[in-house]
Each structure stands twice: as structure tokens, then as C-alpha cells.
Amino acid sequence: MREREKAGTPAPVERRALTRLVAGSLLFALVISAFFPPDARAQQERPIEAVILRPAPNPTFDEIFDAIEMGIRSRGSALSITERRINAFASAQAMRNGISSDAPEIVFTLGRQADESYRNSGLEIRQVIGGLDIEPGLGSRDGVSLTADPVFLLSRLKTLMPEKRRIIVVYDPSKDRWLIERAKAISASIRVTIVAHEATTLSEASNHYWNILKYGNPETDVLWLLSNPSFVSNSNLPRLVEESWRRNFTIISNNIDHARRGAFIAIYPDLEAMGAQLADLAIAISENPNKRPEVEPLGAVKFAVNKRIASHLGIAISAQDERSFDLILGER
């Protein structure tokens, strides 16, 4: 007579089913391992180690850099972030030792002081630059420029004033050539012509501005001011605004202060969203370490409109238009 199975021991049919189940599980594990090696899976789950290097505390700039850092941190578990302040290091050697001990894969530098201090440290950890007005394009560094792609401002202008056909701008060829080239590249798609005048000094720039306002056609032309403080300052901006008001000549700008003082509309950075753009760039670098260094134009922007200037120009800003602006000026 056959012995009974001991208590707790599977019967033959159950053993065969269990064997098939275990074999199937092992096969599935082997297939998964083939497509997703252990290192790759660990990389997917492990956050990117990053350092944010910032200037010493300063009431003037802390609010700006706080917003950028908040945007970087908005990517949550994708980044493991350590904040470092420049004043915590007594020397370039101390910075090199301190940041090296953090073992980051990426170092975000916010502002010119952080950028220069990092480069002087001799560290070769991949750098992502934020809070600087640098020229976009492929090069030796990664980052996001403070200057926005001109398509945002020029497209908004055409939405509000479709009759405008010429955008006239004065620029410094050593700093702003990329911006003018980009504006010309997209000009046909928004049905405008870009007329660009080179200048290298405040005097040259001012002469161009007076001629534009004197000989331009207010019905079809617009003066576009860039955010170059060497060309637009307290020495010439009041007269520019006064003359544009007298001739009903539309001014648009890359500087929010110009809108406060008499430009019709202006574009300015969305600092928190710019931080998120920096974080996304760092994540892309981590996923593809061989990615060529590139500075991206700012894609995170806000818009301001001066309603007093709009009214003077005969432009009705509807409630729907107002909702599309982040800042409304000149209401009183």
C-alpha cells in the first residue's frame, strides 16, 4: 500500500505545477535582465546627485535665486540636491575639496559669481549655468540663458497689433547677434521684417534710436529694445519714452523695467519655470553623458503690459487679453 504524503508536503500534481511556476518566473527574470541590466535599473531608480552653488546671502538677489532653486527642486526625486554657498569656502582649494566630497554628477551655478568661482576652482564636474545672460548654442558649457527666444515677444506683439510689419532693433554684435539671427529666422512665419542696426556704444545706439523715432512709420513700425544696459539707460530712456509718446510709436522690450517706464509690452523670465528647465537639462545630461554641451534660450517667460500706453496707442486690452498677461502696469 502506498504511503500517504507527509503533512505539509505537496502532492505530485501540485509539485509539477509549482515546478512549472518557478521555471516560468526564472525565465521571466532572465528576459527582464537581458533588456534592463542591473546597472540600468539602478540608474533609473537612483536620483541624480547634484550641487547648487549660490552666491553669499544677499537681500538683492536671494529672492531671484530662491525662485530658480525652487524650480530645480520641483523635479522631486529625480534629483538629490545639496546647496552650497560661495562664502562657505575660504579658497578655490576649499571649494574643490568641499564639492568633491559631495560627489555630485552635476553642479548648478546660479549667477555670475558662482559661475566664475566654480570655473576658478578647477573642478571638472559637469556644470549647468543659470541666472546669466549668456549666448545660446553648442559650446563648452551647459545652461539656460536669461534671454528668451524672441518668438515669444514678437508673436505676442502680432497678436495684439497685427498691422505692424517692421520690427526695428539696435544691437551689440558682440553679445546679441544670436538674438537677431533667431528673430530673422522666425520673422517670415509671423509676417514681420526685422531691421537691425549695429552699435558698440551708448552714443551710437542713441543716434539710431532718435533716427528710428524720427523717420520710422508709427503705423507699421515698432521699436524693439533689448535688455542691454549699455544701450538703454537713465540717460536716454526718458527721452525715448517721451518721443515715442509724442509720435504714437510702439515700443516693446526684453526688460520689464522698460514697460514700467513706457514700453507697451515686455517679456521677462519666469524664474521658477527656468529652474525647472535647468533641472530638465541636467536630467537629459545624466541620461546621455555624451550629450554635447549646449546653452538653451530661455523658454520660461512671463509678459507685462502697460495699459496706459495701450490706451494712448488706441489698443483696447480686453479682459481675455489681460488674463494672458502676468503683470498689468499703468492702471492708475
Side-chain angles (χ1 to χ4, degrees), residues 121-172:
S121 74
L123 286 163
E124 296 182 355
I125 303 164
R126 193 88 177 241
Q127 179 188 6
V128 175
I129 302 165
L132 270 183
D133 190 5
I134 49 180
E135 181 176 346
L138 294 171
S140 59
R141 300 190 290 173
D142 295 283
V144 175
S145 176
L146 269 176
T147 302
D149 189 320
V151 69
F152 297 112
L153 180 61
L154 303 188
S155 296
R156 177 59 62 93
L157 170 70
K158 286 293 287 187
T159 299
L160 296 167
M161 306 180 81
E163 73 278 7
K164 300 301 182 183
R165 298 196 297 272
R166 291 205 314 166
I167 310 295
I168 310 174
V169 60
V170 180
Y171 75 103
D172 183 341

Side-chain angles (χ1 to χ4, degrees), residues 174-219:
S174 68
K175 298 177 181 178
D176 305 315
R177 189 178 298 279
W178 76 269
L179 192 62
I180 304 307
E181 290 175 351
R182 173 61 180 156
K184 289 181 176 180
I186 57 96
S187 61
S189 65
I190 55 176
R191 301 180 302 283
V192 298
T193 299
I194 305 297
V195 179
H197 299 284
E198 292 187 8
T200 56
T201 66
L202 175 62
S203 176
E204 287 180 0
S206 295
N207 286 336
H208 283 306
Y209 291 139
W210 311 144
N211 287 330
I212 292 164
L213 293 174
K214 182 177 181 180
Y215 298 111
N217 182 353
E219 298 297 321

Side-chain angles (χ1 to χ4, degrees), residues 284-302:
I285 292 167
S286 178
E287 292 173 347
N288 180 15
N290 295 322
K291 180 182 181 298
R292 291 182 63 187
E294 180 178 11
V295 173
E296 299 176 353
L298 180 64
V301 297
K302 292 185 175 183

Side-chain angles (χ1 to χ4, degrees), residues 226-240:
L226 305 184
S227 54
N228 186 343
S230 300
F231 287 179
V232 182
S233 68
N234 288 331
S235 67
N236 63 359
L237 183 57
R239 184 182 164 190
L240 279 173

Side-chain angles (χ1 to χ4, degrees), residues 25 46 66 80 101 120 133 201 227 256 283 296 301-302 316:
S25 298
R46 182 179 62 80
D66 285 347
S80 176
S101 68
N120 290 336
D133 190 5
T201 66
S227 54
I256 190 173
I283 292 168
E296 299 176 353
V301 297
K302 292 185 175 183

